[in-house]
Amino acid sequence: MRRVNGTVLVVVALLATVGALAFPVWSYADRSGTGQANLAASTVPTRWGPLSAADRDLLVKVRLAGLWELPAGQQALERAPSEAIKAAGDHLVVGHTDLDRRARETAAKLGVELPNQPNEQQQGWLRELTAASGRDYEVKFANLLRNAHGKVFGAIAQVRHTTRNTLIRQLASDANQTVLDHITMLEATGLVDFDALANEAAGAATASPTGPPPPGPGAPASPTPAEPTRSDLSFTSRPSTEPLPGDQETSGTSGMPGMPGMPGAIHTERP
């Protein structure tokens, strides 16, 4: 009996080996449930290139942002006691009016349905702003809007990096500039709680942080400049004229980056 069982095991092992040789393992990229398979399943062809679920999600995010941030900006122009908050509100209204038009035009070409009202969370933010007043209103405005812009900023960058659709790529480029402008204006109010932003992001992170160790005693060694190794080359582009953070002292709203008419401003003109 033991000899028979041993023979059966050998035969089974041989059959398994032959099966593995005759039918090679299929490509991992083609297996159901992988990222590549999900991308292929959610993507549709268009004359401007493949349109993925992430592309369509960006269209919806841009539309939703305008549906609550534009009225929030208008409210700031009407109610805010400080010029810094009013300036931020001005940029929100102008930027999202233009960006919403671009999103609607893009969605119409690609056949993507867009929402017509903010989601529940965004409606709650608007109610929270409406119920506030004075200093409390300004602090809520600066931090609610800055947090929302910071979160969508990463989503825009990811779609800009991966999209294969030319219309979505252009919309992402436009949205990236508009969102950065709004972030700059909101931070120029001096009311953004950066500790709260960092702690919220840290609480949602799943990976361990990476980077160099904390600074030790004494000044670190000066790094080698990143410069061209040849002096006979000619260049047509020019470096940024923006001052480095901390290079300029600020007092109140004077000289703050991002304020209309001030150095460093990223100002969107009214259409």
Side-chain angles (χ1 to χ4, degrees), residues 29-181:
D30 294 333
R31 294 183 189 179
S32 176
T34 64
Q36 288 83 355
N38 292 337
L39 175 63
S42 67
T43 299
V44 295
T46 76
R47 57 182 287 196
W48 298 276
L51 182 71
S52 70
D55 296 337
R56 299 190 294 275
D57 187 53
L58 177 66
L59 273 169
V60 172
K61 279 184 168 65
V62 171
R63 170 67 170 168
L64 285 172
L67 288 175
W68 89 274
E69 292 174 17
L70 194 156
Q74 181 173 328
Q75 186 184 76
L77 285 169
E78 297 168 351
R79 297 180 52 196
S82 74
E83 289 302 317
I85 294 292
K86 288 183 178 180
D90 175 88
H91 279 236
L92 289 176
V93 172
V94 174
H96 281 294
T97 298
D98 177 68
L99 199 56
D100 183 75
R101 175 183 59 81
R102 296 173 187 270
R104 287 184 289 105
E105 291 175 353
T106 300
K109 292 177 180 178
L110 295 173
V112 177
E113 184 177 358
L114 296 178
N116 284 312
Q117 64 179 7
N119 61 35
E120 287 295 327
Q121 184 181 46
Q122 293 165 337
Q123 292 179 40
W125 291 335
L126 285 172
R127 289 193 295 270
E128 189 174 346
L129 289 173
T130 301
S133 61
R135 174 77 174 182
D136 181 50
Y137 169 80
E138 296 201 317
V139 171
K140 286 182 181 295
F141 177 88
N143 286 279
L144 284 174
L145 272 300
R146 172 59 179 82
N147 197 7
H149 278 82
K151 290 177 179 178
V152 78
F153 199 43
I156 294 169
Q158 181 63 21
V159 173
R160 179 62 181 81
H161 170 55
T162 60
T163 186
R164 295 170 286 171
N165 188 284
T166 57
L167 292 183
I168 295 297
R169 189 175 299 116
Q170 183 59 57
L171 178 66
S173 296
D174 296 335
N176 181 62
Q177 295 178 10
T178 300
V179 170
L180 181 57
D181 170 46

Side-chain angles (χ1 to χ4, degrees), residues 177-238:
Q177 295 178 10
T178 300
V179 170
L180 181 57
D181 170 46
H182 295 173
I183 286 175
T184 302
M185 295 301 298
L186 291 162
E187 291 176 352
T189 65
L191 299 175
V192 174
D193 187 344
F194 292 102
D195 287 337
L197 293 175
N199 287 328
E200 180 181 337
T206 57
S208 299
T210 60
S222 179
T224 304
E227 297 175 337
T229 56
R230 291 174 52 184
S231 60
D232 60 337
L233 300 176
S234 61
F235 304 96
T236 58
S237 59
R238 293 291 179 267

